[in-house]
Amino acid sequence: NTKKERKMLEYVDKFVRQFTDLYPKRCHQLLCPRNECGLRKFICTTLRPTQLPFVELYDYEQCAKFVADFITYEPLELP
């Protein structure tokens, strides 16, 4: 990691400690997983709860029907 990345990981570690102290019963956050080289990398994301305007998508059966109505199965030709 670069010097800036290491500094950022320090900030993230501090945030995780503070968050855990404030909300001990909350699930562990996956903020800095290790990449294919074994280095910790920060995943920067923004999550915001939203509600879709399609109420039929909140029920899994209606959602499955909604998706199935828009998908047409076309088998691929054998190579």
Side-chain angles (χ1 to χ4, degrees), residues 2-62:
T2 66
K3 190 174 183 177
K4 286 183 179 182
E5 287 175 321
R6 287 192 299 272
K7 187 67 173 173
M8 184 266 318
L9 289 171
E10 289 177 18
Y11 291 137
V12 172
D13 290 339
K14 182 178 179 182
F15 169 78
V16 169
R17 284 193 304 274
Q18 293 173 344
F19 186 86
T20 304
D21 288 344
L22 289 173
Y23 307 103
K25 295 182 181 182
R26 291 298 245 338
C27 294
H28 174 72
Q29 298 174 338
L30 180 64
L31 297 176
C32 299
R34 296 195 180 275
N35 68 5
E36 61 276 1
C37 297
L39 297 174
R40 291 177 64 212
K41 295 292 183 179
F42 176 58
I43 301 173
C44 55
T45 61
T46 302
L47 298 176
R48 180 175 42 161
T50 59
Q51 287 194 330
L52 298 172
F54 312 104
V55 291
E56 64 269 13
L57 298 181
Y58 287 105
D59 177 58
Y60 79 93
E61 290 175 342
Q62 291 179 350

